[in-house]
Amino acid sequence: MATIRIPGAVDPHVHLRDLEWAHKATVERETEAALAGGYWAVLDMPNTPPNTVTAERLRAKYDHVGARARCDFGLYIGADATADGSEYPAAAGEAVGLKMYCDHTTGSLLLSDEADRRRHLRAWKAASTAPVAVHAEAQTLAAMVQLAREEGVRVHFCHVSLAWEIELLRAAKAQGLPISVGVTPHHLYLEAADRRRLGGFALVKPPLKERPDREALWAAVLDGTVDVIESDHAPHTRAEKEGPNPPFGLPGLETTVPLMVTAMRDRGLGEARLIELLATNAQRIFGLVPPPETYTLVDPDASFLIADADLRCSPGWSPYSGMRVWGRVREVRIRGRVAFDGEQVWARPGEGRRLRP
């Protein structure tokens, strides 16, 4: 196969950590991993403490990340159950979206009450046209589809993992609801049975599901129901994952592109669809425009084993370690400059630019 050129690959769902969780990961290391993984830009979630739930914290985080990022980046603001959304007008021009955590996951942000969810949806809609990214599982996801229908808000459903969730979202999209769908590589490639092999390293939210769910996700990837492949890159230290109470999450910035290129061979994924899933759909959903001469070159005929020792991300481990994949990232160019040449990351900390939706 010929070299694949991806115009402005963007991962809209990452956790760069740093700040009060710098022991887990740092912006410098995770954006280095993003470039090595083939990405021009990443969108960072708001649940690293201190939670990014005010315009002041959003600006402070932009300053912090901006001084350290090697790739381009955008930040979400988070919905706080103790707040009323009055911060949103001041943050709307800077945040790439609002993140609502409607089920329990890492961190302290949680909107468990329907009235709270509706209030925040309305407040964000009044302040911004950017989407609301939602963590919602099972019946909570169904409830959020109904709220999106009633409120007319653009909602991006993150890391969808169940077969019946996909069917519900497929039907909602067919009805014209303004929603988009994200799926992670770990919900495509791993399943509940892998937890026996991987232990705490397989603990994620939403949890890994059964094989029929995986197959339903793959069908939705191929038929266009899924809009975005998002890594949900969520680094934790090896010691934390081996401990008695392992936290949710796993790293994925360096493995997402090769895993999806591998699907071209194993699943019949086409090149045009690959580019939609890794770049152009996220650009459209989040209103992002790559700079001129910004692209990734991938060699689809290059095969290699994923190995912990080769990873640049802070945790230095992957649940896919030992797996053979296809698709070696040969170059990432941003604004005409080589940021990654296939071996060396040349972009320096602080050279990444903030994205404005």
Side-chain angles (χ1 to χ4, degrees), residues 241-306:
K241 295 296 269 185
E242 290 175 340
N245 297 297
F248 301 122
L250 53 81
L253 275 169
E254 294 167 85
T255 50
T256 296
V257 170
L259 286 169
M260 297 315 297
V261 173
T262 300
M264 297 175 70
R265 293 174 179 268
D266 296 347
R267 295 280 179 168
L269 182 67
E271 181 175 330
R273 184 82 181 106
L274 176 85
I275 291 170
E276 290 176 350
L277 291 164
L278 296 177
T280 55
N281 279 354
Q283 294 167 20
R284 170 180 53 80
I285 292 164
F286 292 93
L288 307 175
V289 179
E293 288 299 300
T294 295
Y295 57 83
T296 297
L297 299 180
V298 182
D299 180 356
D301 294 324
S303 177
F304 63 98
L305 291 176
I306 295 173

Short mmCIF file of all heavy atoms in Angstrom, two decimals, residues 241-306:
data_model
loop_
_atom_site.label_atom_id
_atom_site.label_comp_id
_atom_site.label_asym_id
_atom_site.label_seq_id
_atom_site.Cartn_x
_atom_site.Cartn_y
_atom_site.Cartn_z
N LYS A 241 -1.21 0.83 38.93
CA LYS A 241 -2.02 -0.19 38.27
C LYS A 241 -1.78 -1.60 38.86
O LYS A 241 -2.63 -2.48 38.74
CB LYS A 241 -1.75 -0.20 36.76
CG LYS A 241 -2.17 1.07 36.06
CD LYS A 241 -3.68 1.30 36.11
CE LYS A 241 -4.38 0.69 34.93
NZ LYS A 241 -5.84 1.01 34.90
N GLU A 242 -0.62 -1.79 39.48
CA GLU A 242 -0.33 -3.08 40.11
C GLU A 242 -0.78 -3.11 41.57
O GLU A 242 -0.69 -4.15 42.22
CB GLU A 242 1.17 -3.36 40.04
CG GLU A 242 1.66 -3.66 38.63
CD GLU A 242 3.17 -3.83 38.55
OE1 GLU A 242 3.86 -3.34 39.48
OE2 GLU A 242 3.66 -4.42 37.56
N GLY A 243 -1.27 -1.99 42.09
CA GLY A 243 -1.66 -1.90 43.49
C GLY A 243 -3.00 -2.53 43.78
O GLY A 243 -3.69 -3.05 42.89
N PRO A 244 -3.42 -2.48 45.04
CA PRO A 244 -4.67 -3.13 45.44
C PRO A 244 -5.92 -2.44 44.91
O PRO A 244 -6.97 -3.07 44.79
CB PRO A 244 -4.60 -3.08 46.97
CG PRO A 244 -3.70 -1.92 47.27
CD PRO A 244 -2.68 -1.90 46.18
N ASN A 245 -5.83 -1.15 44.60
CA ASN A 245 -6.97 -0.40 44.09
C ASN A 245 -6.56 0.36 42.82
O ASN A 245 -6.43 1.59 42.83
CB ASN A 245 -7.49 0.58 45.14
CG ASN A 245 -7.99 -0.12 46.38
OD1 ASN A 245 -8.94 -0.89 46.33
ND2 ASN A 245 -7.32 0.12 47.50
N PRO A 246 -6.35 -0.36 41.72
CA PRO A 246 -5.86 0.30 40.51
C PRO A 246 -6.86 1.32 39.98
O PRO A 246 -8.07 1.07 39.97
CB PRO A 246 -5.67 -0.86 39.53
CG PRO A 246 -6.53 -1.96 40.05
CD PRO A 246 -6.55 -1.80 41.53
N PRO A 247 -6.37 2.48 39.54
CA PRO A 247 -7.26 3.51 39.00
C PRO A 247 -7.69 3.16 37.58
O PRO A 247 -7.11 2.31 36.91
CB PRO A 247 -6.38 4.76 39.01
CG PRO A 247 -4.99 4.24 38.90
CD PRO A 247 -4.97 2.92 39.60
N PHE A 248 -8.74 3.84 37.13
CA PHE A 248 -9.25 3.64 35.78
C PHE A 248 -8.35 4.32 34.75
O PHE A 248 -7.88 5.43 34.97
CB PHE A 248 -10.65 4.24 35.63
CG PHE A 248 -11.67 3.66 36.57
CD1 PHE A 248 -12.36 4.48 37.45
CD2 PHE A 248 -11.96 2.30 36.57
CE1 PHE A 248 -13.32 3.97 38.31
CE2 PHE A 248 -12.91 1.78 37.43
CZ PHE A 248 -13.59 2.61 38.31
N GLY A 249 -8.14 3.65 33.62
CA GLY A 249 -7.47 4.32 32.51
C GLY A 249 -6.22 3.60 32.03
O GLY A 249 -5.58 2.85 32.77
N LEU A 250 -5.88 3.88 30.76
CA LEU A 250 -4.68 3.32 30.16
C LEU A 250 -4.15 4.27 29.09
O LEU A 250 -4.90 5.07 28.55
CB LEU A 250 -4.96 1.93 29.58
CG LEU A 250 -6.12 1.76 28.59
CD1 LEU A 250 -5.75 2.17 27.19
CD2 LEU A 250 -6.58 0.29 28.60
N PRO A 251 -2.86 4.21 28.79
CA PRO A 251 -2.29 5.09 27.77
C PRO A 251 -2.63 4.58 26.36
O PRO A 251 -2.76 3.38 26.15
CB PRO A 251 -0.79 5.03 28.03
CG PRO A 251 -0.58 3.71 28.69
CD PRO A 251 -1.82 3.41 29.47
N GLY A 252 -2.75 5.51 25.40
CA GLY A 252 -3.11 5.09 24.05
C GLY A 252 -2.65 5.99 22.93
O GLY A 252 -2.90 5.70 21.77
N LEU A 253 -1.98 7.10 23.24
CA LEU A 253 -1.61 8.05 22.20
C LEU A 253 -0.66 7.47 21.16
O LEU A 253 -0.71 7.83 19.99
CB LEU A 253 -0.98 9.29 22.82
CG LEU A 253 -1.96 10.38 23.30
CD1 LEU A 253 -1.22 11.42 24.14
CD2 LEU A 253 -2.66 11.04 22.12
N GLU A 254 0.21 6.56 21.57
CA GLU A 254 1.21 6.03 20.64
C GLU A 254 0.76 4.78 19.89
O GLU A 254 1.46 4.32 18.98
CB GLU A 254 2.51 5.73 21.39
CG GLU A 254 3.17 6.99 21.93
CD GLU A 254 4.27 6.68 22.92
OE1 GLU A 254 5.41 6.43 22.48
OE2 GLU A 254 3.99 6.68 24.14
N THR A 255 -0.39 4.24 20.27
CA THR A 255 -0.84 2.98 19.67
C THR A 255 -2.10 3.12 18.83
O THR A 255 -2.42 2.21 18.06
CB THR A 255 -1.08 1.94 20.78
OG1 THR A 255 -1.92 2.51 21.81
CG2 THR A 255 0.24 1.50 21.40
N THR A 256 -2.81 4.22 18.94
CA THR A 256 -4.10 4.35 18.24
C THR A 256 -3.94 4.29 16.72
O THR A 256 -4.66 3.55 16.03
CB THR A 256 -4.80 5.65 18.65
OG1 THR A 256 -5.11 5.59 20.04
CG2 THR A 256 -6.08 5.86 17.87
N VAL A 257 -3.01 5.07 16.17
CA VAL A 257 -2.85 5.10 14.71
C VAL A 257 -2.46 3.73 14.17
O VAL A 257 -3.11 3.22 13.24
CB VAL A 257 -1.86 6.20 14.29
CG1 VAL A 257 -1.51 6.06 12.81
CG2 VAL A 257 -2.48 7.58 14.54
N PRO A 258 -1.42 3.06 14.70
CA PRO A 258 -1.11 1.74 14.16
C PRO A 258 -2.21 0.71 14.36
O PRO A 258 -2.42 -0.15 13.49
CB PRO A 258 0.19 1.34 14.88
CG PRO A 258 0.30 2.25 16.04
CD PRO A 258 -0.38 3.51 15.67
N LEU A 259 -2.94 0.78 15.45
CA LEU A 259 -4.05 -0.15 15.64
C LEU A 259 -5.11 0.04 14.56
O LEU A 259 -5.68 -0.93 14.04
CB LEU A 259 -4.67 0.02 17.03
CG LEU A 259 -3.85 -0.52 18.20
CD1 LEU A 259 -4.43 -0.06 19.52
CD2 LEU A 259 -3.78 -2.05 18.15
N MET A 260 -5.38 1.29 14.20
CA MET A 260 -6.40 1.54 13.19
C MET A 260 -5.88 1.24 11.78
O MET A 260 -6.64 0.82 10.91
CB MET A 260 -6.92 2.97 13.29
CG MET A 260 -7.61 3.28 14.63
SD MET A 260 -8.78 2.00 15.18
CE MET A 260 -10.01 2.06 13.87
N VAL A 261 -4.59 1.46 11.53
CA VAL A 261 -4.03 1.05 10.24
C VAL A 261 -4.06 -0.48 10.13
O VAL A 261 -4.33 -1.03 9.05
CB VAL A 261 -2.60 1.60 10.07
CG1 VAL A 261 -1.94 1.03 8.81
CG2 VAL A 261 -2.63 3.13 10.00
N THR A 262 -3.83 -1.16 11.23
CA THR A 262 -3.93 -2.62 11.23
C THR A 262 -5.33 -3.06 10.83
O THR A 262 -5.51 -4.10 10.15
CB THR A 262 -3.56 -3.17 12.62
OG1 THR A 262 -2.22 -2.79 12.93
CG2 THR A 262 -3.68 -4.68 12.68
N ALA A 263 -6.34 -2.29 11.22
CA ALA A 263 -7.72 -2.62 10.86
C ALA A 263 -7.97 -2.53 9.36
O ALA A 263 -8.93 -3.10 8.85
CB ALA A 263 -8.69 -1.70 11.61
N MET A 264 -7.11 -1.81 8.64
CA MET A 264 -7.24 -1.79 7.18
C MET A 264 -6.99 -3.19 6.62
O MET A 264 -7.62 -3.60 5.64
CB MET A 264 -6.26 -0.78 6.59
CG MET A 264 -6.52 0.66 7.01
SD MET A 264 -5.26 1.83 6.40
CE MET A 264 -5.64 1.83 4.64
N ARG A 265 -6.09 -3.93 7.24
CA ARG A 265 -5.80 -5.29 6.80
C ARG A 265 -6.78 -6.30 7.39
O ARG A 265 -7.26 -7.20 6.71
CB ARG A 265 -4.38 -5.69 7.21
CG ARG A 265 -3.29 -4.92 6.50
CD ARG A 265 -1.91 -5.26 7.05
NE ARG A 265 -0.87 -4.52 6.34
CZ ARG A 265 -0.23 -4.98 5.28
NH1 ARG A 265 -0.50 -6.19 4.83
NH2 ARG A 265 0.70 -4.25 4.68
N ASP A 266 -7.07 -6.14 8.68
CA ASP A 266 -7.83 -7.16 9.40
C ASP A 266 -9.34 -6.97 9.31
O ASP A 266 -10.10 -7.94 9.47
CB ASP A 266 -7.43 -7.17 10.87
CG ASP A 266 -5.98 -7.56 11.09
OD1 ASP A 266 -5.36 -8.06 10.13
OD2 ASP A 266 -5.48 -7.37 12.20
N ARG A 267 -9.78 -5.73 9.10
CA ARG A 267 -11.22 -5.43 9.14
C ARG A 267 -11.74 -4.79 7.86
O ARG A 267 -12.94 -4.49 7.77
CB ARG A 267 -11.51 -4.51 10.32
CG ARG A 267 -11.25 -5.14 11.68
CD ARG A 267 -12.39 -6.03 12.10
NE ARG A 267 -12.17 -6.68 13.38
CZ ARG A 267 -13.12 -7.32 14.06
NH1 ARG A 267 -14.36 -7.35 13.59
NH2 ARG A 267 -12.84 -7.92 15.21
N GLY A 268 -10.88 -4.53 6.90
CA GLY A 268 -11.34 -3.92 5.66
C GLY A 268 -11.62 -2.43 5.77
O GLY A 268 -12.37 -1.88 4.95
N LEU A 269 -11.02 -1.77 6.76
CA LEU A 269 -11.19 -0.32 6.90
C LEU A 269 -10.51 0.38 5.73
O LEU A 269 -9.34 0.12 5.44
CB LEU A 269 -10.58 0.14 8.23
CG LEU A 269 -10.70 1.62 8.58
CD1 LEU A 269 -12.15 2.01 8.84
CD2 LEU A 269 -9.83 1.94 9.81
N GLY A 270 -11.23 1.28 5.08
CA GLY A 270 -10.67 1.99 3.95
C GLY A 270 -9.85 3.20 4.37
O GLY A 270 -10.02 3.74 5.46
N GLU A 271 -8.97 3.64 3.49
CA GLU A 271 -8.10 4.77 3.81
C GLU A 271 -8.90 6.05 4.04
O GLU A 271 -8.61 6.82 4.97
CB GLU A 271 -7.08 4.99 2.70
CG GLU A 271 -6.12 6.13 2.97
CD GLU A 271 -5.04 6.27 1.93
OE1 GLU A 271 -4.64 5.24 1.32
OE2 GLU A 271 -4.57 7.41 1.71
N ALA A 272 -9.90 6.31 3.21
CA ALA A 272 -10.70 7.52 3.38
C ALA A 272 -11.41 7.52 4.72
O ALA A 272 -11.49 8.55 5.41
CB ALA A 272 -11.71 7.66 2.24
N ARG A 273 -11.92 6.35 5.11
CA ARG A 273 -12.59 6.24 6.40
C ARG A 273 -11.60 6.40 7.54
O ARG A 273 -11.91 7.03 8.57
CB ARG A 273 -13.28 4.88 6.48
CG ARG A 273 -14.10 4.68 7.74
CD ARG A 273 -15.47 5.31 7.61
NE ARG A 273 -16.21 5.11 8.85
CZ ARG A 273 -16.45 6.08 9.75
NH1 ARG A 273 -16.06 7.32 9.54
NH2 ARG A 273 -17.12 5.82 10.85
N LEU A 274 -10.41 5.86 7.41
CA LEU A 274 -9.36 6.02 8.42
C LEU A 274 -9.09 7.50 8.67
O LEU A 274 -9.01 7.95 9.83
CB LEU A 274 -8.09 5.33 7.95
CG LEU A 274 -6.87 5.49 8.86
CD1 LEU A 274 -6.88 4.46 9.97
CD2 LEU A 274 -5.57 5.37 8.06
N ILE A 275 -8.98 8.28 7.60
CA ILE A 275 -8.68 9.70 7.73
C ILE A 275 -9.84 10.44 8.40
O ILE A 275 -9.63 11.33 9.23
CB ILE A 275 -8.35 10.29 6.34
CG1 ILE A 275 -7.01 9.73 5.86
CG2 ILE A 275 -8.31 11.82 6.38
CD1 ILE A 275 -6.69 10.05 4.42
N GLU A 276 -11.07 10.06 8.09
CA GLU A 276 -12.21 10.66 8.78
C GLU A 276 -12.14 10.40 10.28
O GLU A 276 -12.34 11.30 11.10
CB GLU A 276 -13.52 10.08 8.23
CG GLU A 276 -13.88 10.51 6.83
CD GLU A 276 -15.13 9.83 6.34
OE1 GLU A 276 -15.63 8.89 7.00
OE2 GLU A 276 -15.64 10.24 5.28
N LEU A 277 -11.87 9.15 10.64
CA LEU A 277 -11.89 8.74 12.05
C LEU A 277 -10.77 9.36 12.87
O LEU A 277 -10.95 9.63 14.06
CB LEU A 277 -11.80 7.22 12.13
CG LEU A 277 -13.01 6.43 11.63
CD1 LEU A 277 -12.64 4.98 11.40
CD2 LEU A 277 -14.17 6.55 12.61
N LEU A 278 -9.63 9.59 12.25
CA LEU A 278 -8.46 10.10 12.97
C LEU A 278 -8.23 11.59 12.81
O LEU A 278 -7.40 12.15 13.53
CB LEU A 278 -7.20 9.35 12.51
CG LEU A 278 -7.14 7.85 12.79
CD1 LEU A 278 -5.87 7.25 12.21
CD2 LEU A 278 -7.23 7.57 14.29
N ALA A 279 -8.94 12.23 11.90
CA ALA A 279 -8.62 13.63 11.62
C ALA A 279 -9.83 14.47 11.28
O ALA A 279 -10.27 15.32 12.07
CB ALA A 279 -7.58 13.72 10.49
N THR A 280 -10.40 14.28 10.11
CA THR A 280 -11.33 15.28 9.57
C THR A 280 -12.66 15.34 10.32
O THR A 280 -13.26 16.41 10.41
CB THR A 280 -11.56 15.06 8.07
OG1 THR A 280 -12.01 13.70 7.85
CG2 THR A 280 -10.27 15.29 7.30
N ASN A 281 -13.14 14.22 10.85
CA ASN A 281 -14.39 14.28 11.60
C ASN A 281 -14.23 15.06 12.90
O ASN A 281 -15.09 15.87 13.26
CB ASN A 281 -14.92 12.87 11.89
CG ASN A 281 -15.65 12.27 10.71
OD1 ASN A 281 -15.88 12.93 9.70
ND2 ASN A 281 -16.04 11.01 10.83
N ALA A 282 -13.15 14.82 13.62
CA ALA A 282 -12.91 15.59 14.85
C ALA A 282 -12.73 17.07 14.55
O ALA A 282 -13.19 17.93 15.30
CB ALA A 282 -11.70 15.03 15.59
N GLN A 283 -12.04 17.37 13.44
CA GLN A 283 -11.90 18.78 13.04
C GLN A 283 -13.26 19.41 12.84
O GLN A 283 -13.53 20.53 13.28
CB GLN A 283 -11.07 18.87 11.76
CG GLN A 283 -9.62 18.45 11.91
CD GLN A 283 -8.95 18.26 10.56
OE1 GLN A 283 -9.41 18.78 9.55
NE2 GLN A 283 -7.85 17.52 10.53
N ARG A 284 -14.15 18.69 12.15
CA ARG A 284 -15.49 19.22 11.88
C ARG A 284 -16.30 19.37 13.16
O ARG A 284 -16.92 20.41 13.39
CB ARG A 284 -16.22 18.27 10.91
CG ARG A 284 -17.70 18.56 10.74
CD ARG A 284 -18.34 17.58 9.78
NE ARG A 284 -18.11 16.19 10.12
CZ ARG A 284 -18.79 15.51 11.04
NH1 ARG A 284 -19.73 16.12 11.76
NH2 ARG A 284 -18.52 14.23 11.28
N ILE A 285 -16.29 18.36 14.00
CA ILE A 285 -17.11 18.37 15.22
C ILE A 285 -16.69 19.50 16.16
O ILE A 285 -17.53 20.18 16.74
CB ILE A 285 -17.00 17.00 15.92
CG1 ILE A 285 -17.69 15.92 15.08
CG2 ILE A 285 -17.61 17.05 17.32
CD1 ILE A 285 -17.31 14.51 15.49
N PHE A 286 -15.38 19.70 16.29
CA PHE A 286 -14.88 20.67 17.27
C PHE A 286 -14.45 22.00 16.64
O PHE A 286 -13.91 22.86 17.33
CB PHE A 286 -13.73 20.05 18.07
CG PHE A 286 -14.18 18.94 18.96
CD1 PHE A 286 -14.16 17.62 18.52
CD2 PHE A 286 -14.69 19.20 20.22
CE1 PHE A 286 -14.60 16.58 19.32
CE2 PHE A 286 -15.14 18.17 21.04
CZ PHE A 286 -15.10 16.86 20.59
N GLY A 287 -14.72 22.16 15.36
CA GLY A 287 -14.44 23.43 14.71
C GLY A 287 -12.97 23.77 14.63
O GLY A 287 -12.57 24.92 14.84
N LEU A 288 -12.14 22.79 14.30
CA LEU A 288 -10.69 22.98 14.27
C LEU A 288 -10.21 23.03 12.83
O LEU A 288 -10.66 22.26 11.99
CB LEU A 288 -10.00 21.83 15.00
CG LEU A 288 -10.49 21.54 16.43
CD1 LEU A 288 -9.80 20.31 16.97
CD2 LEU A 288 -10.27 22.74 17.35
N VAL A 289 -9.26 23.90 12.57
CA VAL A 289 -8.67 24.02 11.23
C VAL A 289 -7.17 23.82 11.36
O VAL A 289 -6.48 24.63 11.98
CB VAL A 289 -8.97 25.40 10.61
CG1 VAL A 289 -8.33 25.50 9.23
CG2 VAL A 289 -10.48 25.64 10.53
N PRO A 290 -6.64 22.75 10.78
CA PRO A 290 -5.19 22.54 10.86
C PRO A 290 -4.44 23.67 10.15
O PRO A 290 -4.93 24.19 9.13
CB PRO A 290 -4.97 21.21 10.14
CG PRO A 290 -6.31 20.56 10.08
CD PRO A 290 -7.31 21.67 10.04
N PRO A 291 -3.28 24.05 10.63
CA PRO A 291 -2.48 25.05 9.93
C PRO A 291 -2.02 24.51 8.58
O PRO A 291 -2.03 23.30 8.35
CB PRO A 291 -1.28 25.27 10.87
CG PRO A 291 -1.64 24.62 12.16
CD PRO A 291 -2.63 23.56 11.86
N PRO A 292 -1.60 25.39 7.69
CA PRO A 292 -1.04 24.91 6.42
C PRO A 292 0.16 24.00 6.64
O PRO A 292 0.90 24.14 7.62
CB PRO A 292 -0.62 26.21 5.72
CG PRO A 292 -1.45 27.28 6.36
CD PRO A 292 -1.64 26.86 7.78
N GLU A 293 0.34 23.07 5.72
CA GLU A 293 1.47 22.14 5.76
C GLU A 293 1.55 21.40 7.09
O GLU A 293 2.61 21.28 7.72
CB GLU A 293 2.78 22.87 5.49
CG GLU A 293 2.93 23.30 4.04
CD GLU A 293 2.93 22.11 3.08
OE1 GLU A 293 3.82 21.24 3.20
OE2 GLU A 293 2.02 22.05 2.24
N THR A 294 0.38 20.87 7.52
CA THR A 294 0.29 20.08 8.75
C THR A 294 -0.29 18.72 8.41
O THR A 294 -1.46 18.63 8.00
CB THR A 294 -0.57 20.80 9.80
OG1 THR A 294 0.07 22.02 10.18
CG2 THR A 294 -0.78 19.94 11.03
N TYR A 295 0.52 17.69 8.55
CA TYR A 295 0.05 16.37 8.16
C TYR A 295 0.94 15.29 8.78
O TYR A 295 2.04 15.57 9.28
CB TYR A 295 0.04 16.21 6.63
CG TYR A 295 1.37 16.46 5.96
CD1 TYR A 295 2.35 15.47 5.87
CD2 TYR A 295 1.67 17.72 5.43
CE1 TYR A 295 3.57 15.71 5.27
CE2 TYR A 295 2.89 17.97 4.82
CZ TYR A 295 3.83 16.96 4.75
OH TYR A 295 5.05 17.21 4.15
N THR A 296 0.43 14.06 8.71
CA THR A 296 1.15 12.88 9.20
C THR A 296 1.33 11.90 8.06
O THR A 296 0.39 11.67 7.29
CB THR A 296 0.36 12.21 10.34
OG1 THR A 296 0.27 13.13 11.44
CG2 THR A 296 1.04 10.93 10.81
N LEU A 297 2.51 11.33 7.95
CA LEU A 297 2.78 10.30 6.96
C LEU A 297 2.94 8.96 7.68
O LEU A 297 3.72 8.85 8.64
CB LEU A 297 4.05 10.60 6.17
CG LEU A 297 4.05 11.91 5.36
CD1 LEU A 297 5.38 12.08 4.63
CD2 LEU A 297 2.89 11.95 4.37
N VAL A 298 2.19 7.96 7.21
CA VAL A 298 2.20 6.63 7.83
C VAL A 298 2.52 5.60 6.76
O VAL A 298 1.94 5.61 5.67
CB VAL A 298 0.84 6.31 8.47
CG1 VAL A 298 0.89 4.94 9.16
CG2 VAL A 298 0.44 7.38 9.48
N ASP A 299 3.44 4.70 7.09
CA ASP A 299 3.78 3.59 6.20
C ASP A 299 2.93 2.39 6.58
O ASP A 299 3.18 1.73 7.60
CB ASP A 299 5.27 3.26 6.35
CG ASP A 299 5.71 2.11 5.44
OD1 ASP A 299 4.85 1.52 4.77
OD2 ASP A 299 6.92 1.80 5.43
N PRO A 300 1.90 2.07 5.78
CA PRO A 300 1.00 0.97 6.16
C PRO A 300 1.61 -0.41 5.99
O PRO A 300 1.05 -1.39 6.48
CB PRO A 300 -0.18 1.16 5.20
CG PRO A 300 0.42 1.80 3.99
CD PRO A 300 1.52 2.69 4.51
N ASP A 301 2.76 -0.49 5.32
CA ASP A 301 3.41 -1.78 5.09
C ASP A 301 4.48 -2.09 6.13
O ASP A 301 5.09 -3.17 6.08
CB ASP A 301 4.03 -1.81 3.69
CG ASP A 301 2.98 -1.76 2.60
OD1 ASP A 301 1.90 -2.35 2.79
OD2 ASP A 301 3.22 -1.11 1.57
N ALA A 302 4.70 -1.16 7.04
CA ALA A 302 5.70 -1.39 8.10
C ALA A 302 5.02 -2.06 9.29
O ALA A 302 4.05 -1.55 9.85
CB ALA A 302 6.32 -0.07 8.53
N SER A 303 5.54 -3.22 9.67
CA SER A 303 4.99 -3.99 10.78
C SER A 303 5.98 -3.98 11.94
O SER A 303 7.19 -4.03 11.74
CB SER A 303 4.70 -5.42 10.33
OG SER A 303 4.24 -6.20 11.41
N PHE A 304 5.44 -3.94 13.15
CA PHE A 304 6.31 -3.95 14.33
C PHE A 304 5.55 -4.46 15.54
O PHE A 304 4.31 -4.49 15.55
CB PHE A 304 6.89 -2.56 14.61
CG PHE A 304 5.86 -1.51 14.94
CD1 PHE A 304 5.60 -1.17 16.27
CD2 PHE A 304 5.16 -0.85 13.94
CE1 PHE A 304 4.66 -0.20 16.59
CE2 PHE A 304 4.22 0.14 14.25
CZ PHE A 304 3.97 0.45 15.58
N LEU A 305 6.29 -4.85 16.56
CA LEU A 305 5.72 -5.27 17.83
C LEU A 305 5.65 -4.08 18.77
O LEU A 305 6.63 -3.35 18.95
CB LEU A 305 6.55 -6.38 18.48
CG LEU A 305 6.57 -7.74 17.81
CD1 LEU A 305 7.53 -8.67 18.55
CD2 LEU A 305 5.17 -8.34 17.79
N ILE A 306 4.50 -3.85 19.37
CA ILE A 306 4.39 -2.82 20.40
C ILE A 306 5.19 -3.29 21.61
O ILE A 306 5.02 -4.42 22.09
CB ILE A 306 2.92 -2.57 20.78
CG1 ILE A 306 2.17 -2.00 19.58
CG2 ILE A 306 2.82 -1.64 21.98
CD1 ILE A 306 0.66 -1.87 19.80
#
